Amino acid sequence: MADPDALRRVCGAFATGVAIVATANAEGAPCGLTVNSFISVSLSPPLVLWTLRRASRTLPTFDRARTYAISILGEDQGDLARRFAGSTARPFDGVPHRRGRLGAPVIDDCVAYLECSPYDRFEAGDHIVFVWLVEQAHGVSQRPALAFQGGRYGRIASIAGA
Ligand SMILES: Cc1cc2nc3c(=O)[nH]c(=O)nc-3n(C[C@H](O)[C@H](O)[C@H](O)COP(=O)(O)O)c2cc1C
């Protein structure tokens, strides 16, 4: 089996976008974190997945919730990515956001967002794989998305034509 550090280095070479996955807790307060494990799975039915560290404080909230939002961040939203990847207990405090039509929190000025409901969930090693049904897909702006590779945030300048 591969050494975990080598695996982390190699997987870190795979450049991804960055999203904030969010829901509301039992009291209705927003809860979310930065992820780059988000991918599209199926168009019919429309499915996406992402993986959550089993030890995450947010796991009970994501397990209990029934509506979710995935906000894809723009290249100028690196500070938000850092904030939602940190240890702040209430990362939404002071961050402009709104409730989507299904009620989950959506980051203002994100590049695009999805509203989802649960579809499947399974355990895989030290992570939980969440598969969600996409109920609504909203507004792709022409703004370039935030990129992440090798532990660093950046721009996808040539794709964006910039
Ligand atoms: C670019 C980036 C991508 C991340 N992707 C994931 C992910 O896909 N799944 C995950 O569980 N944590 C991911 N994290 C870490 C979480 O954002 C971080 O552990 C979390 O916000 C801290 O709260 P927790 O310790 O309660 O999970 C990522 C962090 C960064 C910086």
Side-chain angles (χ1 to χ4, degrees):
M1 283 195 298
D3 163 67
D5 287 338
L7 177 61
R8 196 176 291 121
R9 270 198 309 280
V10 170
C11 290
F14 188 62
T16 66
V18 183
I20 292 179
V21 167
T23 189
N25 68 18
E27 291 77 45
C31 163
L33 74 159
T34 298
V35 305
N36 70 339
S37 55
F38 159 67
I39 53 166
S40 157
V41 173
S42 162
L43 290 178
S44 181
L47 301 175
V48 297
L49 75 69
W50 66 287
T51 67
L52 178 63
R53 210 165 49 91
R54 192 193 280 267
S56 173
R57 292 164 295 174
T58 66
L59 178 58
T61 301
F62 280 104
D63 270 339
R64 193 182 312 112
R66 286 295 167 264
T67 60
Y68 314 98
I70 302 173
S71 301
I72 297 171
L73 297 183
E75 65 173 19
D76 56 346
Q77 293 179 312
D79 287 349
L80 284 182
R82 285 185 199 90
R83 179 178 176 86
F84 281 82
S87 52
T88 313
R90 299 168 59 95
F92 276 97
D93 284 4
V95 171
H97 67 280
R98 62 190 181 283
R99 298 296 170 139
R101 289 182 200 151
L102 303 185
V106 176
I107 301 289
D108 281 358
D109 296 326
C110 61
V111 168
Y113 67 98
L114 301 175
E115 294 188 77
C116 304
S117 60
Y119 185 86
D120 201 357
R121 171 207 193 275
F122 53 95
E123 301 183 359
D126 55 12
H127 278 62
I128 306 294
V129 179
F130 285 105
V131 182
W132 288 348
L133 181 69
V134 179
E135 303 283 358
Q136 301 195 8
H138 297 276
V140 177
S141 87
Q142 293 309 306
R143 254 175 55 241
L146 182 64
F148 187 74
Q149 185 191 18
R152 300 167 71 161
Y153 297 99
R155 315 174 57 213
I156 315 174
S158 60
I159 292 178

